[in-house]
Amino acid sequence: MKLSELKTGERGVIVKVYGHGGFRKRIVEMGFSKGKIVEVLLNAPLQDPVKYKVLGYEVSMRRCEADQIEVVTPEAAATVVGATSMPAITDEQLTRAALDKRKVINVALVGNPHSGKTTLFNLMSGNGERGGIYNGETLEAKITQATFEGYTFNLIDLPGTYSLSAYSPKELYVRRQIIDHTPDVVINVLDARNLERNLYLTTQLIDMHLRMVCALNMFDEVERRGDHVDHEMLGRLFGVPMVPTVLSEGRGVDRLFRTLIDTYEGTEDTAPHYRHLHINHGHEIEHGITEIQEHLKRDSNVRHRYSTRYLAIKLLERDSTAEQYIRQLPDAAAILQHRDEAAARVKQETGDDSETAVIDAKYGFIHGALQEAHYTTGHNHDDYRLTHHIDSLLSNRYVGFPIFLLVLLALFSATFLLGQYPASWIEYGVEALSALAGQLLPEGPIKALITDGIICGVGSVAVFVPQIIILYLMITIMEDCGYMARAAFIVDKLMHKIGLHGKSFIPLVMGFGCNVPAILATRTIESPRSRLITLLILPFMSCSARLPVYVMISAAFFAPIWQPLVLFTLYLTGILMAALVSRLLARYVVKGDDMPFVMELPPFRLPTWRSLVRHTWEKAKEYIRKMGGVILVASIIVWALGYFPHHPQSTTEEQLEQSYIAQAGRLVEPLFEPLGFNWKLDMALVAGVGAKEIIASTLGVLYAPENSSSSQNETTETILRSHMEADGITPATAFSFLMFVLLYFPCFATLAAIHNETGSWKWTIGSATFTTLVAWCMAALTFQIGSLLLS
């Protein structure tokens, strides 16, 4: 609990002191340090400030300051030491309980994209959280726990970012997490191959006056290339310990844990590597920082929440978020006047604006520190030499784009052709389970529910798990080897022609897996205009939830040689439709200027099998979990609507025609008549509004093998086709249906994500309405043209 929560006469032992920089140092120097017993003596008449007794003397403190101090009470200590009554708690036991509780360390992982931050998170925690080769993947902070030598670490994996500016939503998110939930220690993960660029973020973290440990990752590649850096000297120059690591092999993690503990337990006087320093930004900037700090320090709320030096620097950088915060303060006018005067003097002296001056000063400090640490680069850069050779082919103006299309075709062909073998095994298992249930269960609604509802419904989706896993595996390979970033580079010019940013390509490709994380990935797009357009066209990207429907229908109506082409055509149609809509939105609806395209191209590397398996499984298990949740429930509901009102004397087909689901389907049938759909297809589409996988399970229930007689030698695809053809479904209708599934109404989760990111019901409802209208028009056109060709 917090010291501010203790009542008069109560006592506790200090566990840790939160807050920033100078404020925290002052509190500790007053005697409020770890393991010290503090007693509440007296509250002021207005309950603030409060008089405390610590180290034998009395001191008053405001409640807002006491709120930054964590304590353990005798009651809480009793559970730690195993005492049965409060009088049994001695001061020694109370102190020991506080020190035990102090062994919980809150750690934030911060670093550039591609630095290995999420790999470290996985190694420290032992879980399988997904990182990626592109900075759009780790979007939300992931939290877990780790233990080491008696300490518990609460780990938070923050999104990869190049800086803590107000340039993109992701940078603001990382900054807000650090400020609002000040960690005990920050691990700054650095790509040791690109130290100068990575250390820029380190200088910003230093401005925030945080206890920090730097992990110099990929140090084996640095040594192999012949680079040299005295990391001990570099650590002393930056005032933070620098620990070489090779996270791909797990090397250096134990040393990193021990350094974390040393930094956490030590003080500025006793920690072996830690010292706080101020990076000199030049006379005029430093003068402006001092003047602004004088005002900021007068406000206790500002002192508790921010390092005042950091906030002053952000103002001089004309950071919009910091300025918005300052405008709420009583001294806002004076603070901003000091900022403007300092900026004007910088302009007169250097000819540059204050933001450029701050950036130049930081890179000047980094350059000088690297020289002092004897940083040199070797000549054995085989990884980049190989990368340049591969790039010369993949990014060639003549063959680069055709190779990209071939890669996509190979992705879909592998998904379809390789997946059909394990899919057939699952299919046999589903059929055997259904037959076994039919033999063991007596006739009645329970048997019908289990065989026709649960097994046929969930089994219709489970059959396609292999295709889903292969699709995720192929996308993971593209990400981990570095090709995904090249694809964004290749299509950048094309993206600009349709009114988008090159970075928009990555969320669009992620949309092939799931639209929801793809929408979250748009936070990496700095341009608000491109971000909004990307959000609105993402539902046209065919997510993996649609894949079971594609495979089910195409396998039933098209020859094996044509099935990959059908799949490719659907995905390509979604891409082209997204491009067309993007162009229209950029030209007529969403106005504004775009931002420059700047994105790192990491070196090509072979992904490890371990990472591929872990990353693919992390994606696929969400799909499998959905089968046991929403798809199971939807299958039961669809079965119930088709089973009731029950007519025992009717045939299966007659029963279905008189059911509630048939009655509901006929109400909407006129809307879909120009598309060639019957009421069964209509209701599958209505059910798919919740989740697209439900379309497959609904069709599995409505066209279950029990609905008519079938030969034992017939495959599921043959049975499905015979049943659907009996309902008047032709290949033209089937392809029209697939086109509608591709383009219509996003699932509820996607709509929720769009609303969450845009904050607007206008765009959310507009997206749902527009995509459904487009789907209707395209499906009608497909059906009419297909019917003419078939006739």
Short mmCIF file of all heavy atoms in Angstrom, two decimals, residues 541-568:
data_model
loop_
_atom_site.label_atom_id
_atom_site.label_comp_id
_atom_site.label_asym_id
_atom_site.label_seq_id
_atom_site.Cartn_x
_atom_site.Cartn_y
_atom_site.Cartn_z
N MET A 541 -9.15 -6.89 -47.25
CA MET A 541 -8.08 -7.89 -47.26
C MET A 541 -8.63 -9.18 -46.67
O MET A 541 -9.20 -9.20 -45.59
CB MET A 541 -6.88 -7.39 -46.45
CG MET A 541 -6.39 -6.01 -46.88
SD MET A 541 -6.10 -5.86 -48.65
CE MET A 541 -4.69 -6.93 -48.83
N SER A 542 -8.42 -10.26 -47.38
CA SER A 542 -9.07 -11.52 -47.04
C SER A 542 -8.37 -12.18 -45.86
O SER A 542 -7.30 -12.76 -45.99
CB SER A 542 -9.04 -12.45 -48.24
OG SER A 542 -9.84 -13.57 -48.00
N CYS A 543 -9.00 -12.12 -44.68
CA CYS A 543 -8.41 -12.68 -43.47
C CYS A 543 -8.51 -14.21 -43.48
O CYS A 543 -9.26 -14.79 -44.27
CB CYS A 543 -9.10 -12.12 -42.23
SG CYS A 543 -10.82 -12.61 -42.07
N SER A 544 -7.78 -14.85 -42.60
CA SER A 544 -7.74 -16.31 -42.55
C SER A 544 -9.09 -16.91 -42.17
O SER A 544 -9.34 -18.08 -42.46
CB SER A 544 -6.67 -16.77 -41.56
OG SER A 544 -6.98 -16.30 -40.25
N ALA A 545 -9.95 -16.12 -41.53
CA ALA A 545 -11.27 -16.64 -41.16
C ALA A 545 -12.12 -16.97 -42.39
O ALA A 545 -13.02 -17.82 -42.33
CB ALA A 545 -12.00 -15.62 -40.28
N ARG A 546 -11.83 -16.30 -43.51
CA ARG A 546 -12.57 -16.58 -44.76
C ARG A 546 -12.03 -17.82 -45.47
O ARG A 546 -12.72 -18.39 -46.32
CB ARG A 546 -12.48 -15.38 -45.68
CG ARG A 546 -13.10 -14.09 -45.13
CD ARG A 546 -12.83 -12.95 -46.10
NE ARG A 546 -13.54 -11.71 -45.79
CZ ARG A 546 -13.02 -10.70 -45.12
NH1 ARG A 546 -11.79 -10.78 -44.67
NH2 ARG A 546 -13.72 -9.61 -44.90
N LEU A 547 -10.79 -18.20 -45.15
CA LEU A 547 -10.15 -19.30 -45.87
C LEU A 547 -10.95 -20.61 -45.83
O LEU A 547 -11.06 -21.28 -46.86
CB LEU A 547 -8.73 -19.50 -45.32
CG LEU A 547 -7.86 -20.52 -46.07
CD1 LEU A 547 -7.67 -20.12 -47.53
CD2 LEU A 547 -6.51 -20.67 -45.38
N PRO A 548 -11.51 -21.02 -44.68
CA PRO A 548 -12.30 -22.26 -44.68
C PRO A 548 -13.45 -22.24 -45.67
O PRO A 548 -13.76 -23.26 -46.28
CB PRO A 548 -12.81 -22.35 -43.24
CG PRO A 548 -11.82 -21.59 -42.44
CD PRO A 548 -11.37 -20.47 -43.31
N VAL A 549 -14.08 -21.08 -45.84
CA VAL A 549 -15.19 -20.96 -46.79
C VAL A 549 -14.67 -21.12 -48.21
O VAL A 549 -15.26 -21.84 -49.04
CB VAL A 549 -15.92 -19.61 -46.62
CG1 VAL A 549 -17.19 -19.59 -47.47
CG2 VAL A 549 -16.24 -19.35 -45.16
N TYR A 550 -13.54 -20.43 -48.50
CA TYR A 550 -12.96 -20.53 -49.85
C TYR A 550 -12.63 -21.98 -50.19
O TYR A 550 -12.95 -22.48 -51.27
CB TYR A 550 -11.68 -19.70 -49.94
CG TYR A 550 -11.82 -18.22 -49.71
CD1 TYR A 550 -10.70 -17.45 -49.41
CD2 TYR A 550 -13.05 -17.59 -49.79
CE1 TYR A 550 -10.80 -16.09 -49.20
CE2 TYR A 550 -13.17 -16.24 -49.57
CZ TYR A 550 -12.04 -15.48 -49.27
OH TYR A 550 -12.15 -14.14 -49.05
N VAL A 551 -11.94 -22.65 -49.25
CA VAL A 551 -11.50 -24.02 -49.51
C VAL A 551 -12.71 -24.95 -49.64
O VAL A 551 -12.75 -25.81 -50.52
CB VAL A 551 -10.56 -24.50 -48.38
CG1 VAL A 551 -10.16 -25.95 -48.59
CG2 VAL A 551 -9.31 -23.63 -48.34
N MET A 552 -13.69 -24.78 -48.77
CA MET A 552 -14.89 -25.63 -48.80
C MET A 552 -15.61 -25.53 -50.13
O MET A 552 -15.92 -26.55 -50.79
CB MET A 552 -15.82 -25.25 -47.65
CG MET A 552 -17.18 -25.95 -47.70
SD MET A 552 -18.30 -25.34 -46.42
CE MET A 552 -17.73 -26.26 -45.02
N ILE A 553 -15.88 -24.31 -50.59
CA ILE A 553 -16.67 -24.11 -51.81
C ILE A 553 -15.85 -24.43 -53.06
O ILE A 553 -16.34 -25.09 -53.98
CB ILE A 553 -17.20 -22.67 -51.87
CG1 ILE A 553 -18.09 -22.38 -50.65
CG2 ILE A 553 -17.98 -22.44 -53.16
CD1 ILE A 553 -19.32 -23.25 -50.54
N SER A 554 -14.61 -23.97 -53.11
CA SER A 554 -13.80 -24.20 -54.32
C SER A 554 -13.48 -25.68 -54.49
O SER A 554 -13.45 -26.19 -55.61
CB SER A 554 -12.51 -23.38 -54.26
OG SER A 554 -11.75 -23.71 -53.12
N ALA A 555 -13.25 -26.40 -53.37
CA ALA A 555 -12.99 -27.84 -53.47
C ALA A 555 -14.21 -28.60 -53.96
O ALA A 555 -14.09 -29.64 -54.61
CB ALA A 555 -12.55 -28.39 -52.12
N ALA A 556 -15.39 -28.08 -53.69
CA ALA A 556 -16.63 -28.74 -54.10
C ALA A 556 -16.97 -28.46 -55.56
O ALA A 556 -17.50 -29.34 -56.25
CB ALA A 556 -17.78 -28.30 -53.20
N PHE A 557 -16.67 -27.26 -56.06
CA PHE A 557 -17.16 -26.86 -57.38
C PHE A 557 -16.09 -26.73 -58.46
O PHE A 557 -16.42 -26.58 -59.63
CB PHE A 557 -17.91 -25.52 -57.26
CG PHE A 557 -19.31 -25.67 -56.73
CD1 PHE A 557 -19.56 -25.60 -55.38
CD2 PHE A 557 -20.37 -25.91 -57.59
CE1 PHE A 557 -20.85 -25.75 -54.88
CE2 PHE A 557 -21.66 -26.05 -57.11
CZ PHE A 557 -21.91 -25.98 -55.75
N PHE A 558 -14.82 -26.75 -58.09
CA PHE A 558 -13.78 -26.53 -59.10
C PHE A 558 -12.75 -27.65 -59.06
O PHE A 558 -12.46 -28.21 -58.00
CB PHE A 558 -13.09 -25.17 -58.87
CG PHE A 558 -14.04 -24.02 -58.91
CD1 PHE A 558 -14.52 -23.45 -57.74
CD2 PHE A 558 -14.49 -23.51 -60.12
CE1 PHE A 558 -15.41 -22.39 -57.77
CE2 PHE A 558 -15.40 -22.45 -60.17
CZ PHE A 558 -15.86 -21.89 -58.99
N ALA A 559 -12.21 -27.97 -60.22
CA ALA A 559 -11.22 -29.04 -60.34
C ALA A 559 -9.96 -28.67 -59.56
O ALA A 559 -9.64 -27.49 -59.40
CB ALA A 559 -10.87 -29.25 -61.82
N PRO A 560 -9.22 -29.67 -59.08
CA PRO A 560 -8.03 -29.38 -58.26
C PRO A 560 -7.04 -28.43 -58.93
O PRO A 560 -6.41 -27.62 -58.25
CB PRO A 560 -7.41 -30.77 -58.06
CG PRO A 560 -8.57 -31.70 -58.13
CD PRO A 560 -9.50 -31.11 -59.15
N ILE A 561 -6.89 -28.51 -60.25
CA ILE A 561 -5.92 -27.65 -60.93
C ILE A 561 -6.32 -26.18 -60.87
O ILE A 561 -5.48 -25.28 -60.95
CB ILE A 561 -5.74 -28.11 -62.40
CG1 ILE A 561 -4.50 -27.42 -63.01
CG2 ILE A 561 -7.01 -27.83 -63.21
CD1 ILE A 561 -4.16 -27.94 -64.38
N TRP A 562 -7.64 -25.92 -60.74
CA TRP A 562 -8.13 -24.54 -60.72
C TRP A 562 -8.26 -23.97 -59.32
O TRP A 562 -8.43 -22.77 -59.15
CB TRP A 562 -9.50 -24.46 -61.42
CG TRP A 562 -9.45 -24.78 -62.88
CD1 TRP A 562 -9.96 -25.89 -63.48
CD2 TRP A 562 -8.86 -24.00 -63.91
NE1 TRP A 562 -9.73 -25.87 -64.83
CE2 TRP A 562 -9.05 -24.69 -65.12
CE3 TRP A 562 -8.19 -22.77 -63.94
CZ2 TRP A 562 -8.59 -24.21 -66.34
CZ3 TRP A 562 -7.73 -22.29 -65.15
CH2 TRP A 562 -7.92 -23.00 -66.33
N GLN A 563 -8.21 -24.81 -58.31
CA GLN A 563 -8.48 -24.34 -56.95
C GLN A 563 -7.48 -23.28 -56.45
O GLN A 563 -7.90 -22.26 -55.91
CB GLN A 563 -8.53 -25.54 -56.00
CG GLN A 563 -9.76 -26.42 -56.23
CD GLN A 563 -9.69 -27.76 -55.55
OE1 GLN A 563 -8.80 -28.00 -54.73
NE2 GLN A 563 -10.61 -28.66 -55.88
N PRO A 564 -6.14 -23.47 -56.63
CA PRO A 564 -5.23 -22.38 -56.22
C PRO A 564 -5.48 -21.09 -56.98
O PRO A 564 -5.33 -20.00 -56.42
CB PRO A 564 -3.84 -22.96 -56.53
CG PRO A 564 -4.03 -24.44 -56.54
CD PRO A 564 -5.39 -24.66 -57.08
N LEU A 565 -5.88 -21.21 -58.27
CA LEU A 565 -6.14 -20.01 -59.06
C LEU A 565 -7.38 -19.28 -58.55
O LEU A 565 -7.41 -18.04 -58.52
CB LEU A 565 -6.32 -20.37 -60.53
CG LEU A 565 -6.43 -19.20 -61.51
CD1 LEU A 565 -5.17 -18.34 -61.43
CD2 LEU A 565 -6.67 -19.70 -62.93
N VAL A 566 -8.40 -20.04 -58.14
CA VAL A 566 -9.59 -19.41 -57.54
C VAL A 566 -9.19 -18.66 -56.27
O VAL A 566 -9.60 -17.51 -56.05
CB VAL A 566 -10.65 -20.49 -57.21
CG1 VAL A 566 -11.77 -19.90 -56.35
CG2 VAL A 566 -11.23 -21.07 -58.49
N LEU A 567 -8.38 -19.31 -55.47
CA LEU A 567 -7.93 -18.68 -54.22
C LEU A 567 -7.13 -17.40 -54.51
O LEU A 567 -7.35 -16.36 -53.90
CB LEU A 567 -7.08 -19.67 -53.43
CG LEU A 567 -7.00 -19.49 -51.91
CD1 LEU A 567 -8.36 -19.66 -51.28
CD2 LEU A 567 -6.02 -20.48 -51.31
N PHE A 568 -6.21 -17.50 -55.48
CA PHE A 568 -5.39 -16.35 -55.85
C PHE A 568 -6.26 -15.22 -56.39
O PHE A 568 -6.04 -14.04 -56.09
CB PHE A 568 -4.35 -16.78 -56.88
CG PHE A 568 -3.44 -15.67 -57.34
CD1 PHE A 568 -2.49 -15.15 -56.50
CD2 PHE A 568 -3.56 -15.15 -58.62
CE1 PHE A 568 -1.65 -14.12 -56.91
CE2 PHE A 568 -2.74 -14.13 -59.05
CZ PHE A 568 -1.77 -13.61 -58.20
#
